[in-house]
Amino acid sequence: FLGPWNQGGDWSHSGINGMARWVNRVWDLAQYGDSELDDMPSSERAVRDLTRKTHKTIRKVTEDIDRFHFNTAISTMMELSNTLSTCWEAKSVDSGAWRHAVNSLLVLLAPCAPHITEELWERRGGTYSIHQQELPVWDPELTADEEVTLVVQVNGKVRDKITVSVGIGEEEARENALASPRVRAHLA
């Protein structure tokens, strides 16, 4: 996790402590009872956001492992675990989305942490061995961004950054840019 494996680096006890804390968080997340979420009202947006985050994580981790970028793969899994923690605290997702996200995280983590993921897989009712499971597959539609940041320049200098939906047309983008107070201040 400390950096690219092929570049080496200085040993850090604090880095190992950080990884141990994260693995403990993953352990806790995997132990939460999915069925607890059945009794709670779920937010459609939260479910969509968790599903989107899960699929983006699957894509990124799969690509990173193929390129031997283990440090960024682990970092991406850490981001998913943070999202899972937030969802659990808010109790904002349904058990299906939760189960899919946690199981995907465990399967993705299995090559890096084989023993603990095997134990968690069994505790979660997984069949046979986690190492016999197919890697999760991402949905390209769910990995596509819904919003992009437009950088607005006036006279070659950045004056504002505007977040807009991906499908925005040129005319609408121009209207949003011209409506920005930070841009208007530089127009004459």
mmCIF file of all heavy atoms in Angstrom, residues 64-84:
data_model
loop_
_atom_site.group_PDB
_atom_site.id
_atom_site.type_symbol
_atom_site.label_atom_id
_atom_site.label_comp_id
_atom_site.label_asym_id
_atom_site.label_seq_id
_atom_site.Cartn_x
_atom_site.Cartn_y
_atom_site.Cartn_z
ATOM 1 N N ASP A 64 -6.326 -2.123 -12.112
ATOM 2 C CA ASP A 64 -5.087 -1.931 -11.352
ATOM 3 C C ASP A 64 -4.366 -3.246 -11.092
ATOM 4 O O ASP A 64 -3.136 -3.314 -11.191
ATOM 5 C CB ASP A 64 -5.387 -1.235 -10.019
ATOM 6 C CG ASP A 64 -5.667 0.243 -10.178
ATOM 7 O OD1 ASP A 64 -5.414 0.795 -11.264
ATOM 8 O OD2 ASP A 64 -6.151 0.857 -9.208
ATOM 9 N N ILE A 65 -5.100 -4.287 -10.771
ATOM 10 C CA ILE A 65 -4.459 -5.587 -10.524
ATOM 11 C C ILE A 65 -3.840 -6.115 -11.813
ATOM 12 O O ILE A 65 -2.733 -6.658 -11.804
ATOM 13 C CB ILE A 65 -5.454 -6.582 -9.896
ATOM 14 C CG1 ILE A 65 -5.718 -6.170 -8.438
ATOM 15 C CG2 ILE A 65 -4.925 -8.006 -9.956
ATOM 16 C CD1 ILE A 65 -6.746 -6.996 -7.718
ATOM 17 N N ASP A 66 -4.526 -5.930 -12.933
ATOM 18 C CA ASP A 66 -3.963 -6.357 -14.217
ATOM 19 C C ASP A 66 -2.649 -5.655 -14.526
ATOM 20 O O ASP A 66 -1.775 -6.214 -15.185
ATOM 21 C CB ASP A 66 -4.955 -6.102 -15.355
ATOM 22 C CG ASP A 66 -6.083 -7.114 -15.396
ATOM 23 O OD1 ASP A 66 -5.965 -8.165 -14.733
ATOM 24 O OD2 ASP A 66 -7.088 -6.839 -16.082
ATOM 25 N N ARG A 67 -2.506 -4.401 -14.044
ATOM 26 C CA ARG A 67 -1.283 -3.620 -14.304
ATOM 27 C C ARG A 67 -0.291 -3.689 -13.134
ATOM 28 O O ARG A 67 0.691 -2.962 -13.116
ATOM 29 C CB ARG A 67 -1.661 -2.154 -14.561
ATOM 30 C CG ARG A 67 -2.463 -1.959 -15.824
ATOM 31 C CD ARG A 67 -2.678 -0.484 -16.106
ATOM 32 N NE ARG A 67 -3.016 0.252 -14.909
ATOM 33 C CZ ARG A 67 -4.074 1.032 -14.754
ATOM 34 N NH1 ARG A 67 -4.902 1.213 -15.739
ATOM 35 N NH2 ARG A 67 -4.300 1.671 -13.637
ATOM 36 N N PHE A 68 -0.584 -4.520 -12.136
ATOM 37 C CA PHE A 68 0.253 -4.655 -10.942
ATOM 38 C C PHE A 68 0.329 -3.357 -10.137
ATOM 39 O O PHE A 68 1.331 -3.087 -9.482
ATOM 40 C CB PHE A 68 1.668 -5.150 -11.293
ATOM 41 C CG PHE A 68 1.680 -6.515 -11.905
ATOM 42 C CD1 PHE A 68 1.840 -6.672 -13.265
ATOM 43 C CD2 PHE A 68 1.513 -7.638 -11.121
ATOM 44 C CE1 PHE A 68 1.845 -7.930 -13.842
ATOM 45 C CE2 PHE A 68 1.511 -8.901 -11.686
ATOM 46 C CZ PHE A 68 1.681 -9.049 -13.051
ATOM 47 N N HIS A 69 -0.705 -2.563 -10.157
ATOM 48 C CA HIS A 69 -0.787 -1.336 -9.355
ATOM 49 C C HIS A 69 -1.566 -1.643 -8.075
ATOM 50 O O HIS A 69 -2.668 -1.138 -7.862
ATOM 51 C CB HIS A 69 -1.465 -0.224 -10.142
ATOM 52 C CG HIS A 69 -0.676 0.254 -11.310
ATOM 53 N ND1 HIS A 69 -1.115 1.247 -12.136
ATOM 54 C CD2 HIS A 69 0.535 -0.107 -11.803
ATOM 55 C CE1 HIS A 69 -0.230 1.474 -13.080
ATOM 56 N NE2 HIS A 69 0.784 0.657 -12.900
ATOM 57 N N PHE A 70 -0.968 -2.454 -7.225
ATOM 58 C CA PHE A 70 -1.654 -2.927 -6.038
ATOM 59 C C PHE A 70 -1.951 -1.798 -5.062
ATOM 60 O O PHE A 70 -2.982 -1.811 -4.382
ATOM 61 C CB PHE A 70 -0.830 -4.016 -5.354
ATOM 62 C CG PHE A 70 -0.492 -5.156 -6.269
ATOM 63 C CD1 PHE A 70 0.819 -5.446 -6.589
ATOM 64 C CD2 PHE A 70 -1.494 -5.928 -6.849
ATOM 65 C CE1 PHE A 70 1.134 -6.493 -7.441
ATOM 66 C CE2 PHE A 70 -1.196 -6.973 -7.705
ATOM 67 C CZ PHE A 70 0.125 -7.257 -8.004
ATOM 68 N N ASN A 71 -1.059 -0.813 -4.991
ATOM 69 C CA ASN A 71 -1.271 0.277 -4.041
ATOM 70 C C ASN A 71 -2.522 1.081 -4.388
ATOM 71 O O ASN A 71 -3.295 1.443 -3.507
ATOM 72 C CB ASN A 71 -0.034 1.181 -3.965
ATOM 73 C CG ASN A 71 0.347 1.775 -5.315
ATOM 74 O OD1 ASN A 71 0.234 1.122 -6.349
ATOM 75 N ND2 ASN A 71 0.804 3.009 -5.308
ATOM 76 N N THR A 72 -2.765 1.351 -5.654
ATOM 77 C CA THR A 72 -3.960 2.112 -6.016
ATOM 78 C C THR A 72 -5.204 1.231 -5.959
ATOM 79 O O THR A 72 -6.299 1.732 -5.686
ATOM 80 C CB THR A 72 -3.813 2.771 -7.405
ATOM 81 O OG1 THR A 72 -3.493 1.773 -8.374
ATOM 82 C CG2 THR A 72 -2.719 3.833 -7.388
ATOM 83 N N ALA A 73 -5.050 -0.067 -6.182
ATOM 84 C CA ALA A 73 -6.188 -0.983 -6.029
ATOM 85 C C ALA A 73 -6.658 -0.974 -4.573
ATOM 86 O O ALA A 73 -7.856 -0.873 -4.292
ATOM 87 C CB ALA A 73 -5.805 -2.393 -6.464
ATOM 88 N N ILE A 74 -5.722 -1.049 -3.645
ATOM 89 C CA ILE A 74 -6.074 -1.035 -2.226
ATOM 90 C C ILE A 74 -6.675 0.308 -1.837
ATOM 91 O O ILE A 74 -7.664 0.368 -1.110
ATOM 92 C CB ILE A 74 -4.846 -1.393 -1.357
ATOM 93 C CG1 ILE A 74 -4.500 -2.867 -1.567
ATOM 94 C CG2 ILE A 74 -5.111 -1.100 0.113
ATOM 95 C CD1 ILE A 74 -3.219 -3.308 -0.930
ATOM 96 N N SER A 75 -6.117 1.371 -2.350
ATOM 97 C CA SER A 75 -6.661 2.701 -2.074
ATOM 98 C C SER A 75 -8.114 2.816 -2.547
ATOM 99 O O SER A 75 -8.964 3.379 -1.855
ATOM 100 C CB SER A 75 -5.792 3.757 -2.754
ATOM 101 O OG SER A 75 -6.350 5.035 -2.594
ATOM 102 N N THR A 76 -8.406 2.258 -3.706
ATOM 103 C CA THR A 76 -9.770 2.283 -4.236
ATOM 104 C C THR A 76 -10.704 1.454 -3.362
ATOM 105 O O THR A 76 -11.845 1.858 -3.108
ATOM 106 C CB THR A 76 -9.776 1.769 -5.692
ATOM 107 O OG1 THR A 76 -8.878 2.571 -6.463
ATOM 108 C CG2 THR A 76 -11.161 1.826 -6.294
ATOM 109 N N MET A 77 -10.219 0.315 -2.873
ATOM 110 C CA MET A 77 -11.042 -0.500 -1.973
ATOM 111 C C MET A 77 -11.275 0.221 -0.649
ATOM 112 O O MET A 77 -12.347 0.100 -0.045
ATOM 113 C CB MET A 77 -10.397 -1.861 -1.749
ATOM 114 C CG MET A 77 -10.479 -2.756 -2.974
ATOM 115 S SD MET A 77 -9.862 -4.423 -2.694
ATOM 116 C CE MET A 77 -8.111 -4.212 -3.035
ATOM 117 N N MET A 78 -10.288 0.990 -0.205
ATOM 118 C CA MET A 78 -10.462 1.787 1.012
ATOM 119 C C MET A 78 -11.577 2.816 0.823
ATOM 120 O O MET A 78 -12.381 3.041 1.733
ATOM 121 C CB MET A 78 -9.168 2.502 1.386
ATOM 122 C CG MET A 78 -8.106 1.613 1.943
ATOM 123 S SD MET A 78 -6.598 2.566 2.220
ATOM 124 C CE MET A 78 -5.876 1.649 3.545
ATOM 125 N N GLU A 79 -11.625 3.423 -0.351
ATOM 126 C CA GLU A 79 -12.685 4.395 -0.635
ATOM 127 C C GLU A 79 -14.054 3.728 -0.584
ATOM 128 O O GLU A 79 -15.006 4.294 -0.039
ATOM 129 C CB GLU A 79 -12.466 5.035 -2.011
ATOM 130 C CG GLU A 79 -11.276 5.955 -2.075
ATOM 131 C CD GLU A 79 -11.007 6.460 -3.484
ATOM 132 O OE1 GLU A 79 -11.879 6.289 -4.376
ATOM 133 O OE2 GLU A 79 -9.931 7.030 -3.700
ATOM 134 N N LEU A 80 -14.164 2.514 -1.142
ATOM 135 C CA LEU A 80 -15.444 1.801 -1.082
ATOM 136 C C LEU A 80 -15.807 1.481 0.366
ATOM 137 O O LEU A 80 -16.968 1.625 0.755
ATOM 138 C CB LEU A 80 -15.399 0.520 -1.924
ATOM 139 C CG LEU A 80 -16.675 -0.335 -1.888
ATOM 140 C CD1 LEU A 80 -17.893 0.457 -2.367
ATOM 141 C CD2 LEU A 80 -16.493 -1.608 -2.711
ATOM 142 N N SER A 81 -14.834 1.078 1.161
ATOM 143 C CA SER A 81 -15.142 0.767 2.563
ATOM 144 C C SER A 81 -15.592 2.020 3.310
ATOM 145 O O SER A 81 -16.467 1.946 4.177
ATOM 146 C CB SER A 81 -13.958 0.102 3.262
ATOM 147 O OG SER A 81 -12.881 0.990 3.429
ATOM 148 N N ASN A 82 -15.037 3.174 2.968
ATOM 149 C CA ASN A 82 -15.501 4.430 3.583
ATOM 150 C C ASN A 82 -16.945 4.717 3.185
ATOM 151 O O ASN A 82 -17.751 5.150 4.022
ATOM 152 C CB ASN A 82 -14.607 5.601 3.171
ATOM 153 C CG ASN A 82 -13.227 5.521 3.774
ATOM 154 O OD1 ASN A 82 -13.005 4.842 4.771
ATOM 155 N ND2 ASN A 82 -12.279 6.199 3.157
ATOM 156 N N THR A 83 -17.273 4.490 1.927
ATOM 157 C CA THR A 83 -18.648 4.681 1.465
ATOM 158 C C THR A 83 -19.583 3.717 2.178
ATOM 159 O O THR A 83 -20.681 4.100 2.606
ATOM 160 C CB THR A 83 -18.732 4.474 -0.063
ATOM 161 O OG1 THR A 83 -17.876 5.416 -0.704
ATOM 162 C CG2 THR A 83 -20.153 4.639 -0.570
ATOM 163 N N LEU A 84 -19.149 2.474 2.343
ATOM 164 C CA LEU A 84 -19.961 1.492 3.056
ATOM 165 C C LEU A 84 -20.194 1.916 4.501
ATOM 166 O O LEU A 84 -21.310 1.785 5.017
ATOM 167 C CB LEU A 84 -19.295 0.112 3.001
ATOM 168 C CG LEU A 84 -19.423 -0.629 1.679
ATOM 169 C CD1 LEU A 84 -18.443 -1.792 1.616
ATOM 170 C CD2 LEU A 84 -20.842 -1.109 1.472
#
